[in-house]
């Protein structure tokens, strides 16, 4: 191996390392609609789990992609222009699903009382169980 | 037990429960880090803010995994390495507005107040005092404030490799809207 060849190999390795670094730094956020959910449960089950034992529920659901089936209690657009679908839980706790930016116009189709399937990431319990980056699955299955 | 529920239960022991308690479940909390190598900002639009105006009591809870970053890798590092959000999923502030009895929160010109309390981040509790502004916009009362925090005060470890990418003091801005009619 000549010095020149070693230099070329070294430069190629450096280039590959930089390319990997560049890709990682700029990698896109995961697309929830393409991720297989970790759980498929009802919004009532999620609310009950959090009411029963928050720490235990966090251990199971926190940070996970969950597909929820349930009834729409309300839909609104928040002051930050995020669509929020509130799904029925139990008498104490509902599930607040903050829709991902592309979903707002679709959610207009969902009236109070409608059955809906929503997939998103569970971020924990405040007064309700909160989900983020939510997408509506009904439309995807068509 | 959920700190927010504890706050509400504490408040319910008062005669005027339900009268002057307002909440915003979609409050906005953002933070900004300006450093020599990089500027970082993140936004959380699911913050819970509860205010009891006639007792001057304030409670804010924020889910750490609700902070959105432009860069996915930054969000990952923030949650997994710095904030350890699986272990400490929430940041909480509980406080009281000084001289609340003398303030007209709904004054159309807006009113500036001082809130004093304790903030818990990454499992560490610290006292915090900051100015808060109240201004009505139609039927909505907007409450905004801004303060600074040092990651090291909350045992948030920044690796030496990225020390110049993260500011020593982070600017936090919070904005809540309470509907007077609700």
């Amino acid at each position: 191996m000549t010095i020149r060849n070693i230099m070329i190999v070294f430069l190629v390795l450096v280039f590959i390392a930089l390319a990997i670094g560049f890709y990682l730094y700029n990698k896109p956020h995961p697309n929830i609609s393409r991720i297989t959910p970790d759980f498929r449960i009802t919004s009532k089950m999620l609310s009950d789990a959090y009411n029963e034992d928050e720490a235990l529920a966090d251990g199971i659901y926190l940070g996970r992609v969950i597909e929820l089936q349930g009834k729409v209690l309300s839909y609104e657009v928040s002051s930050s222009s995020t669509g929020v679908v509130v799904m029925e839980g139990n008498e104490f706790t509902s599930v607040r699903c903050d829709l991902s930016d592309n979903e707002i116009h679709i959610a207009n189709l969902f009236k109070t009382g409608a059955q809906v399937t929503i997939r998103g990431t569970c971020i924990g319990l405040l007064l309700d169980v909160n989900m983020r980056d939510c997408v509506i699955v009904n439309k995807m299955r068509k | 037990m959920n700190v927010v529920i504890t706050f509400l239960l504490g408040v319910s022991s008062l005669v005027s429960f339900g009268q002057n308690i307002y909440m915003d479940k979609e409050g906005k909390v953002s933070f900004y880090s300006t450093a020599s190598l990089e500027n970082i900002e993140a936004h959380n639009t699911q913050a819970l803010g509860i205010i009891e105006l006639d007792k001057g009591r304030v409670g804010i809870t924020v889910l750490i995994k609700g902070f959105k970053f432009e860069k996915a890798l930054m969000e990952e590092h923030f949650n997994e390495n710095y904030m350890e959000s699986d272990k400490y999923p929430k940041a909480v502030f509980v406080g009281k507005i000084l001289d609340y009895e003398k303030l007209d929160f709904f004054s159309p010109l807006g009113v500036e107040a001082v809130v004093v309390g304790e903030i818990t981040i990454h499992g560490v509790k610290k006292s915090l005092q900051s100015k808060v502004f109240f201004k009505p916009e139609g039927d909505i009362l907007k409450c905004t404030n801004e303060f600074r925090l040092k990651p090291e005060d909350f045992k948030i470890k920044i690796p030496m490799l990225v020390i110049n990418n993260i500011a020593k003091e982070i600017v936090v801005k919070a904005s809540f809207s309470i509907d007077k009619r609700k």
Side-chain angles (χ1 to χ4, degrees), chain B residues 34-58:
Chain B
T34 310
S36 50
L37 283 183
E38 195 166 20
N39 290 340
I40 300 167
E41 61 181 81
H43 305 277
N44 188 318
T45 55
Q46 292 171 273
L48 172 68
I50 299 178
I51 186 165
E52 197 193 4
L53 290 178
D54 61 356
K55 299 290 169 192
R57 291 173 61 163
V58 172

Side-chain angles (χ1 to χ4, degrees), chain A residues 24-29 54 58 62-63 80 84 96 98 123-128 130-133, chain B residues 2 4 23 25-26 38 45-46 48 61 63 65-73 75-76 85 89-90:
Chain A
L24 282 176
Y25 183 72
N26 289 301
K27 77 174 177 182
H29 287 276
E54 185 183 344
D58 271 347
L62 186 68
S80 328
V84 181
R96 294 182 76 82
D98 267 39
I123 59 171
L125 179 73
L126 291 172
L127 287 179
D128 301 307
N130 278 259
M131 304 267 290
R132 63 171 274 187
D133 302 327
Chain B
N2 190 315
V4 168
M23 62 175 85
K25 293 184 182 181
E26 298 282 331
E38 195 166 20
T45 55
Q46 292 171 273
L48 172 68
T61 311
L63 293 165
K65 287 189 193 290
F67 279 100
K68 294 184 184 179
F69 292 71
E70 195 193 315
K71 299 256 182 263
L73 191 67
E75 194 171 305
E76 242 175 70
S85 57
K90 302 176 203 194

Side-chain angles (χ1 to χ4, degrees), chain B residues 6-123:
Chain B
T6 310
F7 172 82
L8 282 179
L9 286 175
V11 148
S12 71
S13 64
L14 306 165
V15 175
S16 59
F17 176 62
Q19 287 270 311
N20 254 304
I21 297 176
Y22 301 93
M23 62 175 85
D24 181 4
K25 293 184 182 181
E26 298 282 331
K28 188 167 180 180
V29 176
S30 305
F31 67 81
Y32 304 84
S33 159
T34 310
S36 50
L37 283 183
E38 195 166 20
N39 290 340
I40 300 167
E41 61 181 81
H43 305 277
N44 188 318
T45 55
Q46 292 171 273
L48 172 68
I50 299 178
I51 186 165
E52 197 193 4
L53 290 178
D54 61 356
K55 299 290 169 192
R57 291 173 61 163
V58 172
I60 295 170
T61 311
V62 174
L63 293 165
I64 302 300
K65 287 189 193 290
F67 279 100
K68 294 184 184 179
F69 292 71
E70 195 193 315
K71 299 256 182 263
L73 191 67
M74 247 181 239
E75 194 171 305
E76 242 175 70
H77 285 172
F78 173 76
N79 280 291
E80 287 169 24
N81 306 111
Y82 306 152
M83 297 298 281
E84 298 181 274
S85 57
D86 281 338
K87 219 164 140 188
Y88 309 104
K90 302 176 203 194
V92 180
F93 173 76
V94 181
K96 196 151 181 169
I97 298 165
L98 296 182
D99 298 323
Y100 64 90
E101 329 83 357
K102 300 177 190 159
L103 297 171
D104 175 13
F105 292 102
F106 297 97
S107 159
L109 298 168
V111 104
E112 183 182 295
V114 175
V115 65
V116 177
E118 278 187 333
I119 189 164
T120 305
I121 298 174
H122 193 235

Side-chain angles (χ1 to χ4, degrees), chain A:
Chain A
M1 274 262 235
T2 63
I3 299 285
R4 187 169 161 267
N5 287 347
I6 293 169
M7 282 292 298
I8 289 170
V9 170
F10 177 73
L11 283 171
V12 167
L13 286 174
V14 166
F15 179 76
I16 290 171
L18 285 174
I20 291 171
F22 183 78
Y23 166 74
L24 282 176
Y25 183 72
N26 289 301
K27 77 174 177 182
H29 287 276
N31 186 343
I32 299 278
S33 51
R34 297 228 178 98
I35 295 175
T36 305
D38 296 308
F39 300 98
R40 281 195 169 97
I41 54 175
T42 64
S43 50
K44 186 175 189 316
M45 282 169 68
L46 187 63
S47 301
D48 288 345
Y50 266 96
N51 276 155
E52 178 135 348
D53 187 328
E54 185 183 344
L56 190 67
D58 271 347
I60 301 167
Y61 299 116
L62 186 68
R64 303 299 196 99
V65 176
I66 306 175
E67 195 167 284
L68 289 178
Q69 268 192 322
K71 196 161 78 168
V72 173
L73 287 182
S74 68
Y75 167 75
E76 65 193 40
V77 178
S78 74
S79 50
S80 328
S81 307
T82 311
V84 181
V85 179
V86 180
M87 291 179 77
E88 187 181 41
N90 52 47
E91 58 180 311
F92 303 108
T93 305
S94 306
V95 182
R96 294 182 76 82
C97 304
D98 267 39
L99 300 175
S100 82
D101 295 331
N102 316 330
E103 291 292 313
I104 296 174
H105 59 286
I106 310 275
N108 280 323
L109 301 173
F110 290 86
K111 308 289 178 205
T112 304
Q115 282 292 324
V116 76
T117 304
I118 286 179
R119 187 188 299 168
T121 304
C122 176
I123 59 171
L125 179 73
L126 291 172
L127 287 179
D128 301 307
V129 182
N130 278 259
M131 304 267 290
R132 63 171 274 187
D133 302 327
C134 296
V135 297
I136 295 156
V137 175
N138 301 35
K139 71 168 170 75
M140 282 161 50
R141 287 208 174 130
K142 279 185 186 153

